[in-house]
Amino acid sequence: MSKPLENHWTAVVNGEQKHLEIAQTTRLVDVLRTHLQLTGTKVSCEVGRCGACMVLMDGEPVNSCLVMAYQCDGSDITTIEGLHGDEKGTLHPIQQAFVEEGGFQCGYCTPGMVISTKALLDAHPEPSQEQIETGLCGNLCRCTGYGGIIRAVRKAGERCVEKETSAEETVS
Amino acid sequence: MLLNRKQSGKRWHLRPDGAPKVTGQLQYLTDMTLPNMIHGRVLRSEYPYARLLSIDTSEAEALEGVYAVLTSKDVPGLNRFGIATPDQPVFCEDIVRYVGDAIAAVAADSPERAALALDAIRIEYEELTPLNSTDAALAPGAPELHEHGPGNVLHRTEIKRGDAEQAFAACDHIVTETYFTPRQMHAYMETEGGLFVPDEEGRLNVYAATQHGYKDRMQLARIIGCPEEDIRVVSSPIGGSFGGKDELNVQPYGALLALRCGRPVKMHNSRKESVRAGLKRHPMKIEMQTGMSREGIIQAHRVRITADTGAYATLGAPVLNFCTEHCLGPYAIPNVDVEGVSVYTNNGLSGEFRGFGGNQAIFAMEGQMDRLAAIMNMDPWEFRRRNMREKNDPGPLNQRILVTDGLSQVWEALDRSELWQKHQSPPADPTLPPWIKRGVGAAIAMHGAGLGYGIPDPAGGRLSLNNEGKIEVAFSYEEFGQGLIATLEIMLCDLFQCSTSDLSIIIGDTDRVPHSGSSTASRSTTMAWMALQRLQSPFRSRVLAVASEISGIPADELVTGPGGIWRKGQLPAESSEVETDVQETGKSEKEVVLALEDVNQTSEEAGKLEKAERIEVAEIVAVGNESDQTAESCLGASPYHAKEGVSSGFVVSYAELVTQGEADEWIFDTKFDYPTTPDNVVGGHYLYTYAAVAAEVEVNTLTGETKLLDTRHVVAAGPVINPMGFIGQIEGGSVMALGFTLTEDAVMQDSRYVTTNLDTYLIPTIQDIHTNLEVEAIEDLPEGDAFGPRGIGEIGSVALAPAITAAIHQATGVWVNRLPVPREQLVRPLNVPLQEGVSPS
Ligand code: FES
Ligand code: FES
């Protein structure tokens, strides 16, 4: 006999410990948008195709419409609200690059795009065109035609690398 | 000028809605919640065509947590909506005509409970055989879907000139082809929805996306049976629309449920619901016959357009008008015989979509041009030039249009382009496997802006100095992503030499903006520009007169500037052509964002709306900019703000000015109509934008896959106000057109959608796009032009399809006449030699 699912859910969301009483079959996207009111995570296709709901789960990008509460119980979740520059309240270099290069229009795909870009740059600090395409092919944007997004990702990449290097220099 | 960030220099203006969007802080209307809200859902038809025999809602009503179940009996006013022809039922009474037809709506304390309630509604149908094609709908004896027949025809169009019959008889060559275009889906990322909030005074607050808040308000008032003033429509920001949210969608249900329950009701369509109920681009069949003389001069053009408009009218008639006008292209053709028909079927709903019928027409007409040129064995671009209308020729409908050089300019610019030069001698690439074929094609278009002659197309706006001493503009336009707010900022900074922190921009709220028309038909930029032209001078005179009174300096020695009024010649902006100081930019950006927050602060306006904790967006932008020396905003440098009191030329601040006299003395309004041709031709346009597009493709003849490698868009639309927005619109339009050409089709089987979500309906991903996309803007306008920058929301999407299919022809010898391009047509066994080049197969 399988153990009945408990409804106590706990996770670290954007660095803060969260406890909720919810059905373990609740989708992560609803946990975030409805229960935690983190509406930066968007919802669009609900079948894992568009990437509007992308968040980082233990550092990996996942479509939060496809993850159930029981699957992320105890994990570390980062949503768009959890991304910022060196200090809270500042723009992350990726976010900043999106603003400067026109990497968004309506902005509805943008949180998901930014999160996927974060995952991409974490894995490939200097991504090739092919790595950008693979890294972001799970995120649809209907407004920009991706031109501004690609320019933003490239710029963000350069910035992140610069920062790394200067940080290393300071350390050494 | 090639348009990119580098070329744009100081005009590269950071969008004020940037930081809230990239941080996820911006609340879209579908993100809004209230503590005591309930959830609405709509019950839609099980069949594309059926008679409703009975509806039993008792079981649903009895469910715990269900607050209301509404059907047609519960509509106090008109049970119909539709922008042009209100023929779509809010709730069907006796017949359902498509799978999106609404029969009932429920409100319950959770979305799950609302879904349960929908299941508990019992409906008896008598299923009827759907009219699943225009042929079926036009067949003799077909049942009539609407009473206002005749037959199932929504609308007919006609252009006849000269004697086509006779001219064809005299032609040396005639090309006959039938073109088919798909049912394209808008696929905006934010699906329809919003929050509907009745307040204590009995007013209804509607927070739901639309392209024309006032039109929604009018229609909702008609449905509810209340004065329009009892409704407030807040309608921005919007997560994409492209024409798809112009008609009412969830609003009637949200509004009726909220009023019935006396509580806020939240609606948010699932993607499947959105596909099923929402508008699509009209699928069209366009038959064309074009005849020319031995010299390659077109003499006669016969066109028959059949558009599948689906179950209800929406904008089917104007779309057909537009298609009819544009199926003549920018060519001078003496003998013309065009007929169009828009047909009701049970196939979903077709309506407004970026390009508005131009995309279909231009695909067909440009296809003809390539086929004719091939017969002549002539360069297709040169063939077009020979047949192009002259500068002073009348427009496609023989109407007077504004004379510009746009057409020849885009033709020449494309002709010169490296990409098009490749066409002459397709580069042989020995490294490619033999089944990969490359080709280059091009197309040209003139595209009308505004709604056209005979259709009310009001515009206007308000300019004022508000209580806080900000220069405030208010328009009934919407921000659905196109960057309107940024464009307005740039225009105002240009006009008044002020800084962005002096501005307050109000849009998307019927309580706060004057009636100034819709954000459709590529009109907002032109309309806003024209309104500001009219308003600037009364506004300026008043401001300077009062400043003169206060200071004793003659008004003609004063000018507006950052922070307030300055002595002429001592304006800091004039003397500070130097690079913007980063700190200053930071400061002004900060204030801009606050102004925008004000615009979009719908939730706070509503009073007690619950919100996720907001981080200081303004701070973010300020700090964000500091680390990037190159990021500067238009005139963002505001020495006044930065070094307050230092500049000696400063006379008086806007805030001090506004304390003089009554508040309403600082408000200036204007009303006018979008310019139309003076000639009596319904739908005829006066202002056109011109575009030429070249495309290079690679076709894999083993798989039939086409990959777009390179494109160049040349656009003649007058001065580029907002380069970032301009590039974004052309790139976005181009990629949307790529989908239209290669992959997108909302497939229907027996009037039911087969492709119900983005996993089967394929819009381009980042892997499918052309990595090379150049945008060239031609900014010339005739001297003293009174209409300013033309809109470019649509022009990027109208001419790519024929350029791609021409390129496919060069690559493979196959003439494609159907979109999305059927892959099977391009597959060739390896041992069959392909006929390449421009000569016809
Ligand atoms: S909403 Fe989750 S991938 Fe589209
Ligand atoms: S910016 Fe609108 S979907 Fe990407």
Side-chain angles (χ1 to χ4, degrees):
Chain A
M1 262 195 33
S2 64
K3 207 170 115 221
L5 288 173
E6 290 196 17
N7 285 345
H8 189 72
W9 180 85
T10 165
V12 176
V13 180
N14 299 331
E16 274 176 50
Q17 193 76 39
K18 297 281 176 190
H19 303 278
L20 290 175
E21 291 304 319
I22 46 162
Q24 288 284 7
T25 48
T26 311
R27 301 177 307 175
L28 176 56
V29 67
D30 296 320
V31 175
L32 296 171
R33 282 178 61 85
T34 310
H35 299 273
L36 299 175
Q37 286 169 5
L38 295 170
T39 53
T41 299
K42 301 303 177 193
V43 60
S44 183
C45 72
E46 303 177 73
V47 295
R49 180 61 200 97
C50 73
C53 64
M54 199 71 78
V55 299
L56 298 177
M57 180 173 146
D58 298 325
E60 291 296 318
V62 295
N63 290 315
S64 62
C65 68
L66 297 183
V67 175
M68 299 292 144
Y70 72 85
Q71 292 172 303
C72 57
D73 206 343
S75 62
D76 187 337
I77 312 270
T78 305
T79 72
I80 187 70
E81 289 91 345
L83 218 62
H84 51 73
D86 289 339
E87 282 163 51
K88 215 169 175 178
T90 63
L91 289 187
H92 188 277
I94 295 173
Q95 293 169 322
Q96 200 181 315
F98 269 73
V99 174
E100 287 162 17
E101 294 296 326
F104 66 93
Q105 285 181 26
C106 81
Y108 202 78
C109 71
T110 312
M113 259 329 153
V114 169
I115 291 287
S116 289
T117 305
K118 172 83 170 74
L120 166 72
L121 295 181
D122 284 349
H124 310 285
E126 288 171 273
S128 64
Q129 176 68 20
E130 206 184 323
Q131 284 165 334
I132 295 179
E133 286 180 17
T134 315
L136 297 184
C137 71
N139 291 76
L140 299 177
C141 173
R142 190 54 153 173
C143 301
T144 62
Y146 305 101
I149 294 174
I150 293 173
R151 293 188 285 275
V153 173
R154 288 223 182 93
K155 181 174 221 176
E158 284 162 25
R159 284 233 180 100
C160 293
V161 171
E162 268 168 35
K163 254 181 82 179
E164 292 286 302
T165 351
S166 63
E168 275 163 28
E169 277 161 14
T170 340
V171 173
S172 55
Chain B
M1 153 178 107
L2 262 193
L3 210 56
N4 52 40
R5 176 172 174 168
K6 218 164 138 219
Q7 293 279 358
S8 310
K10 283 199 154 200
R11 292 197 75 82
W12 193 259
H13 180 82
L14 302 193
R15 287 175 64 143
D17 52 353
K21 281 181 176 172
V22 299
T23 54
Q25 296 305 309
L26 184 70
Q27 285 229 315
Y28 293 81
L29 304 168
T30 51
D31 292 332
M32 293 168 67
T33 53
L34 273 174
N36 60 337
M37 72 179 190
I38 51 179
H39 300 264
R41 287 283 304 266
V42 177
L43 182 73
R44 300 188 186 271
S45 173
E46 275 175 45
Y47 301 100
Y49 190 29
R51 218 181 300 283
L52 288 173
L53 302 178
S54 67
I55 306 170
D56 179 3
T57 58
S58 51
E59 211 177 300
E61 279 163 56
L63 281 177
E64 196 199 319
V66 171
Y67 286 78
V69 182
L70 306 180
T71 63
S72 63
K73 299 188 303 294
D74 303 296
V75 180
L78 180 71
N79 186 27
R80 290 287 182 276
F81 63 94
I83 294 183
T85 317
D87 68 349
Q88 180 166 3
V90 175
F91 295 113
C92 294
E93 301 109 345
D94 45 2
I95 295 269
V96 289
R97 298 180 184 83
Y98 85 115
V99 287
D101 250 336
I103 300 169
V106 302
D109 55 8
S110 72
E112 294 76 23
R113 198 109 56 173
L116 259 177
L118 292 191
D119 283 344
I121 298 174
R122 306 270 165 253
I123 298 174
E124 270 187 90
Y125 297 90
E126 178 194 333
E127 204 186 335
L128 302 167
T129 311
L131 301 174
N132 61 4
S133 68
T134 53
D135 285 345
L138 291 175
E144 290 190 10
L145 295 181
H146 294 275
E147 283 155 10
H148 49 73
N152 287 308
V153 171
L154 161 68
H155 184 57
R156 284 186 194 279
T157 53
E158 193 179 277
I159 314 173
K160 308 265 166 163
R161 272 209 293 278
D163 186 338
E165 196 77 19
Q166 235 177 35
F168 273 115
C171 281
D172 291 289
H173 306 283
I174 298 173
V175 164
T176 305
E177 181 72 275
T178 304
Y179 299 86
F180 300 88
T181 62
R183 187 185 309 278
Q184 192 183 17
M185 190 148 85
H186 302 80
Y188 28 73
M189 281 295 118
E190 183 192 27
T191 52
E192 308 82 355
L195 193 60
F196 301 82
V197 190
D199 65 22
E200 293 88 46
E201 290 107 63
R203 285 187 91 210
L204 177 70
N205 300 283
V206 173
Y207 302 92
T210 179
Q211 292 183 209
H212 196 176
Y214 274 100
K215 205 52 160 227
D216 279 19
R217 194 178 79 153
M218 180 276 283
Q219 294 201 74
L220 286 174
R222 208 157 61 181
I223 291 166
I224 295 164
C226 70
E228 286 188 41
E229 294 68 37
D230 288 0
I231 302 173
R232 172 189 186 193
V233 174
V234 175
S235 40
S236 290
I238 302 175
S241 176
F242 317 109
K245 292 173 184 162
D246 205 10
E247 290 280 4
L248 292 179
N249 41 75
V250 297
Q251 294 93 332
Y253 313 104
L256 291 169
L257 288 169
L259 288 175
R260 168 66 68 92
C261 303
R263 303 176 64 147
V265 171
K266 179 172 174 131
M267 313 271 310
H268 197 172
N269 277 349
S270 68
R271 177 62 62 181
K272 282 185 180 174
E273 177 110 338
S274 169
V275 170
R276 175 183 190 178
L279 304 176
K280 309 286 179 292
R281 188 188 294 289
H282 282 76
M284 290 192 192
K285 172 174 134 188
I286 303 181
E287 303 165 78
M288 278 193 177
Q289 209 171 23
T290 313
M292 62 181 171
S293 66
R294 188 167 303 122
E295 295 74 36
I297 304 297
I298 299 175
Q299 302 297 338
H301 191 44
R302 183 180 290 130
V303 185
R304 297 291 178 265
I305 306 163
T306 313
D308 182 347
T309 204
Y312 299 103
T314 81
L315 289 180
V319 165
L320 183 68
N321 287 343
F322 199 88
C323 180
T324 306
E325 175 183 352
H326 286 74
C327 72
L328 303 175
Y331 306 108
I333 310 177
N335 302 289
V336 173
D337 167 12
V338 184
E339 288 174 17
V341 60
S342 191
V343 184
Y344 285 119
T345 66
N346 296 111
N347 290 341
L349 282 188
S350 306
E352 177 179 345
F353 196 151
R354 191 182 213 173
F356 210 74
N359 319 51
Q360 296 95 318
I362 292 163
F363 167 60
M365 184 57 190
E366 291 297 283
Q368 290 293 92
M369 299 306 283
D370 285 320
R371 285 160 177 75
L372 290 164
I375 288 179
M376 292 295 296
N377 212 355
M378 190 187 267
D379 178 276
W381 208 239
E382 172 57 22
F383 181 79
R384 282 171 172 80
R385 195 194 56 78
R386 281 197 189 189
N387 285 286
M388 244 156 53
R389 56 186 296 279
E390 295 288 333
K391 188 171 163 180
N392 292 305
D393 283 352
L397 301 175
N398 240 354
Q399 85 277 29
R400 269 172 284 172
I401 69 173
L402 188 89
V403 178
T404 76
D405 280 329
L407 186 59
S408 53
Q409 285 171 323
V410 297
W411 186 93
E412 277 161 26
L414 193 88
D415 195 47
R416 280 195 302 268
S417 73
E418 226 172 274
L419 178 54
W420 179 245
Q421 291 303 325
K422 270 194 197 172
H423 175 268
Q424 262 67 318
S425 46
D429 187 342
T431 61
L432 289 178
W435 57 86
I436 300 287
K437 306 286 172 189
R438 282 196 178 159
V440 178
I444 197 164
M446 68 191 286
H447 192 84
L451 304 184
Y453 184 90
I455 302 160
D457 197 358
R462 176 175 304 150
L463 179 63
S464 53
L465 198 57
N466 72 14
N467 286 338
E468 287 92 58
K470 303 259 185 212
I471 301 175
E472 180 169 296
V473 283
F475 293 105
S476 63
Y477 307 140
E478 316 291 348
E479 174 68 63
F480 34 82
Q482 76 277 45
L484 175 65
I485 303 174
T487 301
L488 290 174
E489 276 190 355
I490 299 173
M491 281 185 191
L492 286 161
C493 288
D494 279 354
L495 266 185
F496 298 114
Q497 298 297 303
C498 59
S499 95
T500 45
S501 56
D502 295 320
L503 301 175
S504 161
I505 292 169
I506 316 275
I507 56 161
D509 182 345
T510 53
D511 270 13
R512 301 176 71 197
V513 302
H515 209 315
S516 42
S518 61
S519 307
T520 46
S522 299
R523 69 197 286 295
S524 304
T525 300
T526 308
M527 291 298 81
W529 187 88
M530 288 176 67
L532 291 176
Q533 288 303 310
R534 286 164 167 74
L535 294 167
Q536 60 148 328
S537 135
F539 177 85
R540 195 190 306 272
S541 332
R542 163 100 185 133
V543 171
L544 296 185
V546 175
S548 163
E549 263 169 47
I550 294 176
S551 64
I553 306 168
D556 58 7
E557 285 174 28
L558 297 175
V559 287
T560 56
I565 310 302
W566 295 72
R567 271 182 185 273
K568 216 178 234 173
Q570 296 182 21
L571 201 58
E574 288 173 355
S575 55
S576 74
E577 282 302 313
V578 286
E579 287 287 284
T580 312
D581 184 89
V582 177
Q583 313 297 343
E584 292 165 7
T585 315
K587 175 153 186 186
S588 70
E589 280 287 334
K590 171 176 175 166
E591 285 157 38
V592 175
V593 174
L594 288 177
L596 179 93
E597 289 258 290
D598 186 47
V599 176
N600 288 327
Q601 235 3 309
T602 53
S603 36
E604 263 159 32
E605 291 287 316
K608 335 143 244 309
L609 290 181
E610 193 177 275
K611 284 192 298 123
E613 186 198 340
R614 260 170 203 279
I615 50 173
E616 263 304 316
V617 174
E619 299 282 310
I620 293 179
V621 183
V623 182
N625 274 342
E626 259 170 79
S627 54
D628 180 33
Q629 306 263 337
T630 60
E632 68 221 38
S633 75
C634 121
L635 300 177
S638 167
Y640 168 69
H641 290 286
K643 310 167 190 117
E644 221 155 316
V646 173
S647 303
S648 59
F650 187 73
V651 176
V652 56
S653 74
Y654 295 123
E656 288 166 69
L657 273 185
V658 79
T659 58
Q660 310 292 311
E662 296 299 312
D664 59 5
E665 292 175 66
W666 293 103
I667 301 175
F668 300 86
D669 276 297
T670 182
K671 268 191 187 337
F672 55 101
D673 283 326
Y674 194 93
T676 52
T677 175
D679 297 314
N680 178 8
V681 278
V682 172
H685 292 87
Y686 188 56
L687 303 184
Y688 288 84
T689 3
Y690 299 87
V693 182
E696 181 181 12
V697 304
E698 187 173 277
V699 182
N700 181 330
T701 56
L702 290 184
T703 62
E705 186 191 3
T706 300
K707 175 106 182 125
L708 183 55
L709 302 175
D710 195 359
T711 54
R712 189 183 187 97
H713 284 260
V714 186
V715 178
V720 175
I721 300 286
N722 176 1
M724 186 198 276
F726 197 107
I727 296 172
Q729 285 298 302
I730 302 302
E731 286 182 338
S734 182
V735 169
M736 190 175 254
L738 175 68
F740 175 68
T741 312
L742 294 182
T743 54
E744 292 185 34
D745 191 6
V747 178
M748 303 213 89
Q749 213 162 40
D750 290 330
S751 300
R752 290 172 190 274
Y753 287 102
V754 177
T755 46
T756 55
N757 204 328
L758 301 173
D759 52 348
T760 44
Y761 183 89
L762 302 176
I763 70 169
T765 73
I766 201 163
Q767 285 185 321
D768 304 314
I769 59 160
H770 22 316
T771 35
N772 247 346
L773 195 163
E774 279 184 338
V775 180
E776 180 173 351
I778 291 173
E779 304 194 74
D780 302 351
L781 280 179
E783 205 161 316
D785 176 88
F787 310 106
R790 316 291 199 250
I792 42 112
E794 297 167 285
I795 194 79
S797 75
V798 296
L800 184 69
I804 292 178
T805 50
I808 289 177
H809 179 261
Q810 192 183 40
T812 64
V814 177
W815 288 120
V816 172
N817 64 346
R818 186 183 285 272
L819 300 180
V821 175
R823 282 186 173 204
E824 57 276 17
Q825 274 188 22
L826 305 182
V827 178
R828 288 284 178 283
L830 260 184
N831 54 359
V832 176
L834 286 176
Q835 198 175 358
E836 293 193 42
V838 290
S839 38
S841 45

